[in-house]
């Protein structure tokens, strides 16, 4: 029995490429490497579609791993037309792209295009991880209307980042200077992101191999594990200018919380966010603990705002076959049923 399980374990490690991102989708807008994907609901029930923003350092297919293991599928099955801004994989020619560019040239433009495609004037915006940080800034500066804003494990107060507190002090004291180094190499390579993340979450980053060994004779678990493992190893490069801005404005100076953040020279006032707000965090997330997420509640101008702390880890809210409770009920109470299509 043990030998058979170990054999399945080795087979899983040597498994050929496994398909991901299989939900029905259509590209409706492109810019550079980015694509705006449209996922139609077969039984549309709500006027406001969902607009998804994922991280700029991970691939967004975590939201659509496989049939019956897809948050996007859960949205469309529940009656929400869904849009996803996929930033793609930047190349060396994109090294001067900034965080401001991601917000104004990609998220803003894609959201405007999605509104036009959906024939509506407002949507529910959902940001995940670092994509939620960008979604927060976008919601504060956009002239477009947002009905609801949902932030899932999204860092806001970077002073609380695990291990990064030492980085932050070193950056503030001038002991570490990333600008010159990043300007020289142009792009932050994927392995830099991967091993930086593992530094924070170790030994958790290796525990999933033990979980596979214990359950390798379960084909359903093995298939899910393969898709999750593919995603955890599949980081993408980050433009040097964007990395510098993240490290200086967001990590070192913590400008979202402490003030002074600007986008293209214009001050960001988070009191401009007045839409309905739902914030998710998880109890066992070594990468983005709840202390990083909850401070947004005191910064926004929203009257209807809710913070929820879940059991689970960083990816448990997204790598799922259903919406995390009580997201589904919250959306039902904050979205408008369809009457007449556009």
């Amino acid at each position: 029995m043990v030998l058979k399980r170990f054999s399945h374990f080795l087979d899983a490690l040597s498994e050929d490429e496994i398909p991901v991102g299989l939900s029905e989708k259509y590209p409706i807008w492109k810019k550079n490497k980015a694509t705006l994907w449209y996922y139609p609901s077969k039984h549309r029930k709500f006027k406001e579609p969902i607009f998804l923003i994922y991280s700029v350092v991970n691939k967004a297919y975590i939201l659509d791993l496989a049939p019956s293991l897809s948050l996007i599928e859960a949205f469309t099955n529940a009656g929400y037309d869904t849009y996803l801004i996929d930033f793609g994989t930047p190349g060396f020619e994109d090294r001067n792209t900034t965080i401001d560019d991601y917000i104004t040239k990609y998220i803003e433009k894609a959201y405007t295009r999605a509104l036009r495609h959906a024939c509506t004037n407002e949507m529910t915006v959902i940001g995940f991880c670092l994509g939620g940080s960008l979604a927060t800034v976008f919601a504060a500066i956009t002239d477009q209307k947002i009905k609801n804003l949902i932030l899932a494990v999204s860092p806001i107060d970077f002073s609380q980042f695990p291990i990064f507190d030492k980085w932050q002090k070193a950056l503030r004291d001038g002991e570490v200077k990333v600008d010159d180094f990043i300007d020289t190499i142009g792009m932050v390579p994927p392995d830099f992101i991967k091993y930086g993340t593992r530094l924070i979450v170790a030994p958790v980053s290796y525990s999933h191999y033990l979980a596979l060994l214990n359950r390798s004779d379960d084909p359903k678990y093995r298939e899910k594990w393969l898709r999750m493992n593919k995603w955890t190893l599949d980081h993408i490069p980050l433009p040097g200018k964007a990395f510098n801005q993240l490290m200086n404005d967001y990590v070192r100076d913590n400008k979202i919380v402490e003030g002074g953040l600007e986008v293209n020279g214009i001050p960001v006032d988070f009191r401009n966010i007045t839409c309905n707000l739902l914030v998710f965090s998880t109890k066992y997330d070594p990468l983005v603990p709840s202390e990083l997420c909850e401070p947004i509640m005191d910064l926004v101008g929203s009257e209807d705002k809710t913070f929820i702390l879940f059991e689970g880890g960083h990816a448990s809210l997204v790598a799922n076959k259903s919406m995390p409770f009580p997201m589904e009920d919250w959306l039902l109470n904050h979205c408008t049923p369809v009457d007449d299509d556009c």
Side-chain angles (χ1 to χ4, degrees):
M1 183 70 176
V2 174
L3 289 176
K4 184 177 181 181
R5 184 182 301 166
F6 189 69
S7 176
H8 287 314
F9 174 77
L10 293 178
D11 288 343
L13 294 182
S14 58
E15 186 82 29
D16 291 335
E17 185 73 11
I18 191 164
V20 292
L22 301 178
S23 292
E24 179 187 4
K25 62 182 178 181
Y26 304 94
I28 63 168
W29 177 84
K30 287 181 177 289
K31 180 179 176 65
N32 195 12
K33 313 301 191 314
T35 303
L36 175 63
W37 294 103
Y38 167 56
Y39 299 80
S41 173
K42 289 183 173 59
H43 306 285
R44 179 170 170 260
K45 299 178 181 178
F46 300 97
K47 178 181 177 183
E48 299 88 9
I50 289 173
F51 184 87
L52 305 175
I53 305 172
Y54 201 68
S55 174
V56 294
V57 296
N58 293 101
K59 294 188 177 178
Y61 62 72
I62 184 72
L63 304 176
D64 188 31
L65 282 177
S68 300
L69 188 60
S70 167
L71 186 58
I72 287 176
E73 182 183 83
F75 289 138
T76 56
N77 285 345
Y80 299 93
D81 278 351
T82 302
Y83 297 84
L84 166 69
I85 172 64
D86 181 348
F87 298 110
T89 302
F92 185 74
E93 65 276 11
D94 304 304
R95 62 193 180 278
N96 291 321
T97 301
T98 65
I99 293 298
D100 291 357
D101 292 331
Y102 276 113
I103 294 168
T104 61
K105 295 181 180 180
Y106 292 93
I107 295 175
E108 175 88 40
K109 300 294 185 183
Y111 186 74
T112 301
R113 178 66 185 91
L115 288 174
R116 189 164 71 249
H117 182 269
C119 301
T120 186
N121 65 347
E122 57 184 352
M123 291 190 181
T124 293
V125 174
I126 306 181
F128 303 91
C129 195
L130 188 56
S133 308
L134 303 188
T136 303
V137 179
F138 162 66
I141 67 166
T142 186
D143 291 330
Q144 301 290 357
K145 189 174 180 181
I146 296 174
K147 173 84 169 183
N148 307 304
L149 176 63
I150 300 178
L151 305 176
V153 292
S154 301
I156 297 298
D157 185 354
F158 285 80
S159 69
Q160 303 293 326
F161 228 126
I163 296 180
F164 276 18
D165 58 337
K166 297 179 178 61
W167 275 90
Q168 188 182 57
K169 184 178 185 303
L171 286 165
R172 286 184 168 180
D173 293 346
E175 298 171 9
V176 174
K177 296 181 180 180
V178 299
D179 303 59
D180 293 343
F181 170 68
I182 298 300
D183 286 345
T184 299
I185 65 173
M187 298 288 293
V188 178
D191 282 350
F192 187 98
I193 306 295
K194 179 172 70 175
Y195 292 116
T197 302
R198 288 189 173 187
L199 178 66
I200 296 173
V201 303
V204 176
S205 57
Y206 299 101
S207 63
H208 70 297
Y209 289 105
L210 296 177
L212 173 64
L213 182 59
N214 288 330
R215 300 181 61 183
S216 59
D217 51 355
D218 180 344
K220 289 185 177 180
Y221 179 84
R222 194 165 62 244
E223 183 177 341
K224 179 180 179 179
W225 186 94
L226 284 168
R227 287 187 163 89
M228 283 296 300
N229 192 57
K230 171 183 171 65
W231 175 79
T232 58
L233 298 176
D234 204 6
H235 292 278
I236 58 178
L238 183 65
K241 292 293 185 183
F243 181 81
N244 279 344
Q245 190 175 5
L246 275 175
M247 294 300 292
N248 293 330
D249 288 353
Y250 290 76
V251 176
R252 183 191 67 192
D253 297 335
N254 198 26
K255 288 183 177 180
I256 293 182
V257 171
E258 296 185 16
L261 186 66
E262 296 183 350
V263 172
N264 295 333
I266 300 173
V268 179
D269 186 349
F270 292 98
R271 291 172 297 182
N272 291 336
I273 299 176
T274 57
C275 59
N276 308 315
L277 176 66
L278 176 63
V279 180
F280 287 99
S281 185
T282 55
K283 290 183 179 180
Y284 310 112
D285 186 350
L287 188 61
V288 187
S290 61
E291 293 83 1
L292 276 72
C293 309
E294 193 169 4
I296 188 60
M297 305 296 288
D298 297 325
L299 300 177
V300 299
S302 304
E303 294 184 3
D304 185 328
K305 52 186 178 180
T306 303
F307 177 81
I308 298 175
L309 185 62
F310 278 94
E311 299 285 337
H314 187 73
S316 59
L317 293 180
V318 293
N320 214 322
K321 62 182 179 181
S322 59
M323 285 182 258
F325 178 82
M327 181 190 285
E328 187 166 7
D329 287 345
W330 191 90
L331 282 170
L332 280 171
N333 292 324
H334 291 83
C335 292
T336 309
V338 164
D339 41 23
D340 295 322
D341 288 343
C342 170

